[in-house]
Amino acid sequence: MSTEYLSTEAKLYPVPKRLLDPSLSPTPHINSIEQYKKLYDESIKNPIGFWGKIARETLTWVTPFQTVFSGGFEHGNIAWFLEGRLNAAYNCVDRHAIKNSDKVAIIYEADEPGQDRKITYGELLRDVCRFANVLKAHGVKKGDIVTIYMPMTPEAVVAFLACARLGAVHSVVFAGFSAESLRGRIQDASSKFVITADESRRGGKTINIKNIVDDALKECSTVERVFIFRRTSSEVSIITPRDVWWHEEIEKYRPYCSPEIVNAEDPLFLLYTSGSTGKPKGILHTTAGYLLSAATTFKYVFDYHEGDTFACMADIGWVTGHTYIIYGPLACGGTTILFESTPLYPTPSRYWEVVAKHKITHFYTAPTAIRLLRRFGREHIDCHDLSSLRIIGSVGEPIDPDSWKWYNEVVGRNVCSVIDTYWQTETGSTIISPLPCAISSKPGSATLPFFGIDLAVLDSTTGGEIKTTEAEGVLAIRQPWPSIARTIYNDHNRYFNTYLKPYKGYYFTGDSVTRDRDGYYWIRGRVDDVINVSGHRLSTAEIESALIFHPSVAEAAVIGVPDDLTGQSIQAFVTLKPNCSTDVNDLILQVRKVIGPFAAPKKIYIVSDLPKTRSGKIMRRILRKIICDEIDQLGDLSTLSDPNLINILVDKVNNS
Ligand code: ATP
Ligand code: MG
């Protein structure tokens, strides 16, 4: 068995010396494992003292809270900072604009290179106020749900914050979703207001998103008003009196709007999950707890310092965009990049041009993008000056060790901290990740829990807690943290049944995990995806990592299918790097060598692409249905990125 994949023997990557050298890097917030452990222990033993202090220091309150925390997992009645009153937009904009209105809040990197624009805190405040006044004039008030379906433009950030300013609840839908998916989310939320644009631009392509909205709204009787931001100035259909133009409306109102002061537990937003495993859930986050965790993880997990330029390449339509493009950076008064384009437009150098141009210090993306850029080769990266980078991050799926090392070496040039951040829409902010200047990394492990995250590994059959350091089971959490989702919109029972009921007294993540002898956590994939072959429990992440370790393989997805003999058997789908070919037996041998003969896939399909959500996550449930000849039961496909792929895969499987 190769040591590459043995967690306990994985090579430790210490914190790069450059990050601890005061002449080369800012003084870290947390600079040693001892300091981390001390604070972590305190956060678990005395969460009230720990979070109470951070909440007072981090957020600006109109009315101070008295009760740090109440309720719990048993009854699903979690609440933080009860009596506290505040406004999220004030915390993200006003207080920084008052201090230094010229500080850059947003760097907008438009789809076409060269069309970038900087927005200061002063400008952002005026824009947010004006648009909040527009919303107010059209009847938006505290508690109303406003659907945002917008391209990655500064006006989208303005839309988020204008809602927050009024105490309205935004529900952002990724602007790549179809009319049908948008409709489902508007209907589920009974949203009365939609904010959109005429068209969006992405990767050189123009999409008439207003048409998609019109289509979606054919069966959304609740919607009273649609606000249209003019992105491209193309002709679009206007349905009066429902539709109004952003640019015409803002002319009418003054650039100040007093913030609506809300209770800590009033909802800030609603966001549907990626739908990797089933029908998306309308996750609800509340104001103070969410904002506090967003700001605190931004500060510590990314070791953010004044003067840094932070680039999270996710879309604002996903939780990663909510927390680490908007709320985390802005709550901390930081400078955040808003990237409208794709990693390949106009060339596979785009990310690195942007890093060099804006002297980006933090770069945060998903394994799917890392693997994509890796396919195109390092020549697109090596010719750019990436010396401003200090911390590079990954989120969304397990990152295979091979891609981790490539990222570290080629993008991080071995002098950056690589942080694999594990979290969920439901957790609101990252919950397992190395602190970049304190915790040594192991490629493929998200390492250790963030402050206040009290992890437990449970035996999946008995539900009992595994107390030994080395453990394998399902990942659960013992006590609530500030940004845990409070409910699923209009379906608290589903919330309770999904997260709190499976293991009484715990929050159940739905992911399987290994804890190694150093206490490091390795996310092994979804519990539903765990494969059981002749009594061996195998994780998808492990087998996929072994396949990607092969020089020709770009991506891999592994599934378990019922098997008369062994209970389940392993089947794999792989895509290859450009101009590469390989023999399937070679790949099977690879898995035998790296993990063991019992993990060898029974069948491997080499395919052109894998089914993914629009956020880039592999949808293994679709592959399972295709293999089991159940394509009439594919379930919710609203998040599937390329629906045409299904027939291609079905043909491939039938003809193999
Ligand atoms: P749904 O819940 O609708 O099926 P989803 O779980 O993909 O969709 P998200 O909240 O976007 O929705 O994703 C969270 C999940 O992504 C985690 O539960 C985990 O499975 C996976 N994940 C995220 N980050 C990491 C990471 N760093 N390492 C391993 N897995 C990760
Ligand atoms: Mg999930």
Side-chain angles (χ1 to χ4, degrees):
M1 193 168 180
S2 158
T3 54
E4 283 296 328
Y5 290 92
L6 266 184
S7 55
T8 47
E9 287 172 27
K11 184 177 153 204
L12 267 184
Y13 283 66
V15 174
K17 288 207 180 63
R18 180 178 72 129
L19 298 191
L20 300 170
D21 181 340
S23 66
L24 299 173
S25 305
T27 306
H29 296 300
I30 309 288
N31 65 8
S32 68
I33 186 79
E34 292 76 26
Q35 198 188 356
Y36 157 75
K37 281 192 174 147
K38 187 168 165 279
L39 278 168
Y40 178 76
D41 286 345
E42 190 187 316
S43 74
I44 299 301
K45 285 191 197 115
N46 179 14
I48 290 175
F50 182 87
W51 287 115
K53 179 165 179 283
I54 292 195
R56 276 183 285 270
E57 288 168 0
T58 308
L59 301 179
T60 302
W61 300 84
V62 174
T63 310
F65 57 87
Q66 274 134 45
T67 313
V68 171
F69 164 70
S70 78
F73 291 151
E74 200 186 328
H75 302 292
N77 56 342
I78 301 148
W80 285 84
F81 312 116
L82 276 185
E83 305 76 6
R85 294 172 61 77
L86 75 171
N87 178 276
Y90 181 90
N91 273 277
C92 290
V93 191
D94 301 46
R95 57 180 184 155
H96 312 304
I98 292 164
K99 228 167 78 191
N100 178 4
S101 71
D102 293 333
K103 165 137 194 199
V104 175
I106 300 169
I107 300 176
Y108 167 47
E109 176 71 25
D111 192 45
E112 266 335 297
Q115 296 189 354
D116 39 314
R117 176 152 69 89
K118 294 189 163 99
I119 295 102
T120 65
Y121 274 97
E123 288 165 336
L124 185 61
L125 177 58
R126 292 191 291 276
D127 291 350
V128 168
C129 283
R130 265 191 199 233
F131 191 62
N133 279 329
V134 171
L135 293 176
K136 207 159 138 181
H138 286 274
V140 176
K141 51 185 194 318
K142 181 172 180 249
D144 283 344
I145 298 177
V146 179
T147 299
I148 299 179
Y149 184 75
M150 284 187 86
M152 292 279 289
T153 54
E155 287 71 18
V157 182
V158 169
F160 273 66
L161 295 167
C163 290
R165 195 163 194 89
L166 300 177
V169 181
H170 54 71
S171 168
V172 181
V173 180
F174 170 55
F177 274 131
S178 66
E180 200 182 323
S181 308
L182 173 62
R183 184 185 304 137
R185 286 159 181 75
I186 293 173
Q187 286 173 340
D188 188 73
S190 313
S191 189
K192 285 195 283 188
F193 306 94
V194 176
I195 308 174
T196 188
D198 49 0
E199 294 184 311
S200 68
R201 302 253 326 155
R202 210 160 165 263
K205 292 195 196 84
T206 306
I207 301 158
N208 188 322
I209 63 170
K210 175 60 170 48
N211 269 350
I212 299 173
V213 171
D214 286 345
D215 209 6
L217 294 191
K218 279 183 190 146
E219 287 155 49
C220 294
S221 55
T222 53
V223 175
E224 294 166 5
R225 195 70 77 234
V226 178
F227 304 88
I228 312 153
F229 165 64
R230 200 161 69 181
R231 169 67 182 87
T232 63
S233 306
S234 287
E235 193 91 356
V236 294
S237 63
I238 296 292
I239 300 169
T240 45
R242 190 195 70 186
D243 299 350
V244 295
W245 282 106
W246 178 300
H247 62 277
E248 286 174 6
E249 291 301 303
I250 56 169
E251 294 293 321
K252 300 178 188 164
Y253 303 98
R254 71 168 177 144
Y256 186 77
C257 168
S258 56
E260 172 85 27
I261 307 305
V262 305
N263 188 278
E265 277 298 319
D266 281 334
L268 179 61
F269 67 85
L270 160 65
L271 178 64
Y272 291 84
T273 52
S274 300
S276 307
T277 56
K279 185 172 177 277
K281 306 168 271 270
I283 298 297
L284 188 130
H285 281 287
T286 58
T287 304
Y290 169 80
L291 197 60
L292 181 68
S293 289
T296 309
T297 52
F298 181 69
K299 175 177 169 185
Y300 291 105
V301 175
F302 292 95
D303 196 49
Y304 165 77
H305 293 272
E306 181 59 38
D308 285 345
T309 301
F310 189 88
C312 166
M313 306 318 264
D315 192 277
I316 49 164
W318 315 123
V319 74
T320 307
H322 280 57
T323 307
Y324 298 112
I325 295 176
I326 302 183
Y327 286 111
L330 297 182
C332 292
T335 300
T336 187
I337 297 269
L338 191 66
F339 179 70
E340 192 180 27
S341 196
T342 76
L344 303 181
Y345 184 73
T347 70
S349 277
R350 183 65 186 277
Y351 274 171
W352 322 115
E353 280 163 18
V354 174
V355 168
K357 176 162 60 169
H358 301 299
K359 303 213 168 0
I360 286 167
T361 51
H362 296 69
F363 181 84
Y364 190 29
T365 190
T368 178
I370 296 170
R371 290 192 289 258
L372 175 75
L373 292 166
R374 189 180 176 190
R375 278 200 222 183
F376 284 90
R378 63 182 295 164
E379 61 273 21
H380 294 286
I381 305 173
D382 288 344
C383 52
H384 296 282
D385 176 12
L386 305 186
S387 59
S388 57
L389 286 176
R390 251 184 18 248
I391 288 147
I392 56 176
S394 169
V395 60
E397 285 185 292
I399 178 164
D400 58 284
D402 216 35
S403 299
W404 190 102
K405 288 178 197 160
W406 178 87
Y407 194 36
N408 177 51
E409 189 187 318
V410 177
V411 178
R413 292 149 296 111
N414 300 311
V415 293
C416 291
S417 259
V418 180
I419 55 168
D420 176 9
T421 63
Y422 164 79
W423 56 299
Q424 311 177 302
T425 308
E426 297 87 338
T427 67
S429 54
T430 176
I431 59 168
I432 309 182
S433 169
L435 298 187
C437 304
I439 298 174
S440 303
S441 278
K442 295 181 190 182
S445 166
T447 76
L448 299 172
F450 186 64
F451 304 140
I453 305 297
D454 194 2
L455 297 178
V457 180
L458 309 181
D459 183 307
S460 57
T461 37
T462 66
E465 217 176 294
I466 307 174
K467 304 267 186 178
T468 48
T469 305
E470 282 183 82
E472 208 174 317
V474 306
L475 182 65
I477 306 177
R478 283 192 203 94
Q479 16 174 335
W481 60 100
S483 65
I484 183 178
R486 302 296 194 261
T487 194
I488 291 176
Y489 185 69
N490 269 351
D491 202 350
H492 196 68
N493 262 352
R494 187 172 176 201
Y495 172 85
F496 195 82
N497 292 337
T498 308
Y499 310 112
L500 307 182
K501 201 175 158 197
Y503 301 95
K504 203 174 158 63
Y506 297 90
Y507 169 83
F508 170 51
T509 62
D511 289 311
S512 73
V513 73
T514 301
R515 184 167 57 207
D516 71 18
R517 65 170 171 226
D518 297 323
Y520 277 40
Y521 290 85
W522 301 70
I523 304 299
R524 295 311 203 181
R526 323 268 175 171
V527 168
D528 301 341
D529 291 337
V530 167
I531 303 168
N532 200 324
V533 184
S534 309
H536 297 286
R537 293 177 64 79
L538 289 158
S539 76
T540 49
E542 199 171 6
I543 307 170
E544 288 162 9
S545 290
L547 286 164
I548 296 170
F549 195 45
H550 189 284
S552 298
V553 173
E555 289 199 286
V558 161
I559 53 166
V561 277
D563 186 288
D564 291 342
L565 204 64
T566 52
Q568 275 187 315
S569 71
I570 301 165
Q571 305 213 7
F573 290 75
V574 301
T575 63
L576 301 181
K577 291 179 186 160
N579 309 319
C580 284
S581 63
T582 184
D583 185 46
V584 164
N585 290 326
D586 208 31
L587 298 179
I588 295 176
L589 198 67
Q590 168 86 9
V591 179
R592 290 177 74 95
K593 220 166 55 194
V594 169
I595 305 176
F598 57 94
K602 197 166 170 187
K603 202 138 194 184
I604 297 186
Y605 302 93
I606 296 177
V607 294
S608 58
D609 207 354
L610 300 173
K612 289 185 185 162
T613 64
R614 284 170 205 258
S615 55
K617 293 160 186 267
I618 296 169
M619 294 172 88
R620 293 177 192 77
R621 67 176 158 100
I622 290 185
L623 295 173
R624 232 175 356 240
K625 294 286 178 195
I626 291 176
I627 292 290
C628 299
D629 202 14
E630 292 171 355
I631 46 167
D632 51 329
Q633 304 161 36
L634 287 174
D636 186 280
L637 294 182
S638 66
T639 62
L640 176 64
S641 173
D642 176 11
N644 297 327
L645 188 63
I646 292 186
N647 284 334
I648 299 174
L649 293 173
V650 169
D651 284 347
K652 178 88 200 177
V653 169
N654 288 342
N655 297 327
S656 294

